[in-house]
Amino acid sequence: MDICPDIFGKVYAPSLAIEADAKSFLEQALQAPESESLISSDHLKELHDKYLEFSETKADYSEDFVDMDGLMHDLAVCLPKDTIITNDAGNFFGWLSRYYRFEQENTYVGPTSGAMGYGLPAAIGAKLAQPHKHVVSVSGDGGFMMTLQEIETAVRYKIPTISIVVNNNIYGTIRAHQERHFPNRVVGTDLFNPDFGELARLFGAHGEKVEKIAILRQRCNGRLIQGCRL
Ligand SMILES: Cc1ncc(C[n+]2csc(CCOP(=O)(O)OP(=O)(O)O)c2C)c(N)n1
């Protein structure tokens, strides 16, 4: 369903395309008797069960690299439910949107227009507004490089937020399109990043470069988030 019909079929072919305002459609759909409903309650339960299975975090920990499934599992277990999460745009977001369940209101601050570089500044703003809550931003390396100078702001004003930078040394989202549509013709998507842990320390913040998830678990346990036990 979308308010703009131009979107239909752009990425996936829908079996039923509905042009509508999401809010008013949902309000009416909720009031419709089951006989008129587009979907039976059994089918709804079946779909919801599939969603729960798909989005259940997996305690996967590769020995060799930071396994995003395992990272999401640890975040879900570790972070208090009122933690505010902010993010950038990028492929890394797939894991966050799949696995992290927002169970309380006002715990997600995301870039409506899909802007990179949003996560860190948004986290600083959220922490100023809700200083009693933990605030964690999740970014790709490309997005983080767009606004990382705001670490200086956070240090100067003593605003304690946590930033996770998923570093694959490419603009992964764009690279994926290049490889799909123009194989062997990638251009302008390699990144040559600094060591983000070291960079954070140069700004006067705490910084860690994490190459294996075991190290993250060992270093973070009970330190970055008070009371967190993995
Ligand atoms: C300000 C801005 N510029 C460009 C884009 C287009 N864009 C979307 S994702 C992306 C690459 C993201 O790369 P990275 O942050 O490294 O994350 P990855 O996809 O590798 O996980 C780009 C350039 C955007 N969303 N916002």
Side-chain angles (χ1 to χ4, degrees), residues 144-215:
F144 197 68
M145 283 284 273
M146 289 182 171
T147 52
L148 60 75
Q149 67 274 26
E150 298 306 336
I151 300 174
E152 188 273 339
T153 308
V155 170
R156 181 154 40 101
Y157 289 107
K158 297 187 172 42
I159 306 165
T161 60
I162 296 172
S163 289
I164 297 172
V165 184
V166 183
N167 182 5
N168 54 7
N169 285 309
I170 47 173
Y171 287 128
T173 315
I174 308 304
R175 171 67 72 87
H177 288 298
Q178 290 178 347
E179 288 183 3
R180 191 174 307 135
H181 298 295
F182 306 101
N184 308 316
R185 282 184 58 203
V186 298
V187 58
T189 43
D190 282 325
L191 295 171
F192 295 89
N193 297 308
D195 176 328
F196 290 110
E198 199 174 326
L199 195 70
R201 292 194 292 278
L202 286 172
F203 275 114
H206 177 92
E208 300 268 1
K209 178 178 181 175
V210 177
E211 288 171 301
K212 295 184 181 184
I213 200 142
I215 297 174

Side-chain angles (χ1 to χ4, degrees), residues 31-227:
Q31 282 165 10
E34 197 179 318
S35 54
E36 288 174 23
S37 167
L38 292 172
I39 189 165
S40 71
S41 53
D42 284 352
H43 190 199
L44 193 65
K45 185 177 176 320
E46 191 188 318
L47 291 175
H48 189 62
D49 288 347
K50 274 191 189 157
Y51 155 73
L52 289 178
E53 192 191 330
F54 180 74
S55 63
E56 188 64 41
T57 58
K58 296 179 179 52
D60 283 347
Y61 303 106
S62 162
E63 292 289 308
D64 304 323
F65 54 89
V66 176
D67 195 315
M68 289 294 288
D69 284 358
L71 175 66
M72 283 301 139
H73 180 263
D74 287 354
L75 288 182
V77 169
C78 180
L79 296 176
K81 287 293 161 213
D82 64 351
T83 301
I84 298 174
I85 305 283
T86 72
N87 66 275
D88 280 29
N91 273 0
F92 70 89
F93 182 69
W95 284 273
L96 189 68
S97 63
R98 173 172 176 178
Y99 288 125
Y100 195 84
R101 289 191 190 147
F102 294 91
E103 291 173 21
Q104 290 186 17
E105 285 185 339
N106 301 325
T107 50
Y108 176 63
V109 183
T112 311
S113 55
M116 297 160 72
Y118 178 84
L120 171 61
I124 292 172
K127 185 71 183 176
L128 282 175
Q130 308 260 296
H132 54 289
K133 293 184 183 170
H134 290 298
V135 182
V136 178
S137 72
V138 188
S139 307
D141 46 326
F144 197 68
M145 283 284 273
M146 289 182 171
T147 52
L148 60 75
Q149 67 274 26
E150 298 306 336
I151 300 174
E152 188 273 339
T153 308
V155 170
R156 181 154 40 101
Y157 289 107
K158 297 187 172 42
I159 306 165
T161 60
I162 296 172
S163 289
I164 297 172
V165 184
V166 183
N167 182 5
N168 54 7
N169 285 309
I170 47 173
Y171 287 128
T173 315
I174 308 304
R175 171 67 72 87
H177 288 298
Q178 290 178 347
E179 288 183 3
R180 191 174 307 135
H181 298 295
F182 306 101
N184 308 316
R185 282 184 58 203
V186 298
V187 58
T189 43
D190 282 325
L191 295 171
F192 295 89
N193 297 308
D195 176 328
F196 290 110
E198 199 174 326
L199 195 70
R201 292 194 292 278
L202 286 172
F203 275 114
H206 177 92
E208 300 268 1
K209 178 178 181 175
V210 177
E211 288 171 301
K212 295 184 181 184
I213 200 142
I215 297 174
L216 178 73
R217 292 166 68 80
Q218 189 187 327
R219 292 212 186 128
C220 294
N221 211 358
R223 273 185 49 198
L224 291 184
I225 305 266
Q226 227 178 4

Side-chain angles (χ1 to χ4, degrees), residues 8-23:
F8 299 136
K10 213 171 170 185
V11 182
Y12 298 106
S15 47
L16 173 64
I18 301 172
E19 182 187 342
D21 173 82
K23 188 176 179 200

